[in-house]
Amino acid sequence: MTTEKPDSSTNRTLIGRLLLLAVGMFGFGFALVPLYDVFCEITGLGGRTNTEAVKVAEAPDFNREIRVEFVTTLNSYAQFEFAADRPSMVVNPGKMYYASFTAKNLSGENTVAQAIPSVAPGTAADHFLKIHCFCFENQEFLADEERPLPLQFIVDPDLPAYVDTITLQYTFFDNVRAAAN
């Protein structure tokens, strides 16, 4: 039985390849977020809503009704009460509507929260146009503060005819606690 020592150049080559692989994986991890955004934009997946200027229809379509359902969830670190003021509403495409949500800070401390929206089905995401939304910016809450969070939206009349229900879901995050954990 012979015991051969590996050649030092073989070891250097292996170490170089492993380092290159580690750097490549690290870089790929940073590239995942923009790649996911591009993928969602191309395929329409992810339920993202309008990110460009909103075009308003010339006239609402009063012959068509769409049910918009509001669903709210809390991130595990969010010490809040968060709910839609009503669970759903029936809308006509092309007409502007207002909805309201209510959030209450239960943490006993000042904090900052953010709501992340998602729209289902994914084909409706490009047709659910938010004019004004509390989700556009961080929300600063004082200890035990409760307040309404407004939403102003239009459902684009170009929404495919087979879509008769849109679900708008918000996940509420406490940015301070989530960053600390």
Side-chain angles (χ1 to χ4, degrees):
M1 188 154 118
T2 20
T3 314
E4 293 181 28
K5 289 188 174 182
D7 185 7
S8 65
S9 66
T10 305
N11 284 344
R12 280 188 224 138
T13 302
L14 179 60
I15 290 171
R17 287 182 180 173
L18 289 173
L19 286 173
L20 185 61
L21 179 67
V23 169
M25 290 172 63
F26 187 75
F28 183 71
F30 274 103
L32 276 178
V33 172
L35 288 173
Y36 179 75
D37 289 341
V38 169
F39 176 77
C40 288
E41 187 175 321
I42 290 170
T43 63
L45 295 174
R48 294 192 175 189
T49 58
N50 58 305
T51 57
E52 299 172 0
V54 174
K55 65 174 183 172
V56 178
E58 292 184 20
D61 181 358
F62 291 109
N63 295 320
R64 185 172 178 201
E65 292 184 337
I66 308 295
R67 180 181 173 85
V68 178
E69 298 175 340
F70 303 112
V71 177
T72 59
T73 58
L74 291 171
N75 174 268
S76 60
Y77 298 110
Q79 295 180 17
F80 278 87
E81 287 178 358
F82 176 56
D85 291 350
R86 57 196 245 190
S88 66
M89 61 193 311
V90 176
V91 302
N92 300 106
K95 185 176 176 189
M96 181 123 22
Y97 289 91
Y98 298 88
S100 184
F101 295 73
T102 301
K104 181 177 182 181
N105 177 4
L106 302 175
S107 71
E109 302 172 8
N110 296 351
T111 192
V112 178
Q114 175 75 42
I116 306 298
S118 180
V119 174
T123 55
D126 289 337
H127 302 282
F128 190 88
L129 311 172
K130 294 189 302 281
I131 308 303
H132 175 76
C133 181
F134 60 94
C135 64
F136 290 162
E137 53 196 39
N138 286 334
Q139 302 293 322
E140 295 182 15
F141 283 87
L142 299 174
D144 303 316
E145 178 183 7
E146 179 178 338
R147 72 162 177 265
L149 301 170
L151 168 67
Q152 181 180 5
F153 69 93
I154 298 173
V155 174
D156 188 344
D158 293 336
L159 178 71
Y162 63 85
V163 178
D164 61 357
T165 302
I166 297 173
T167 302
L168 175 63
Q169 191 248 331
Y170 284 103
T171 302
F172 211 59
F173 289 85
D174 184 329
N175 290 350
V176 174
R177 280 175 188 64
N181 291 314

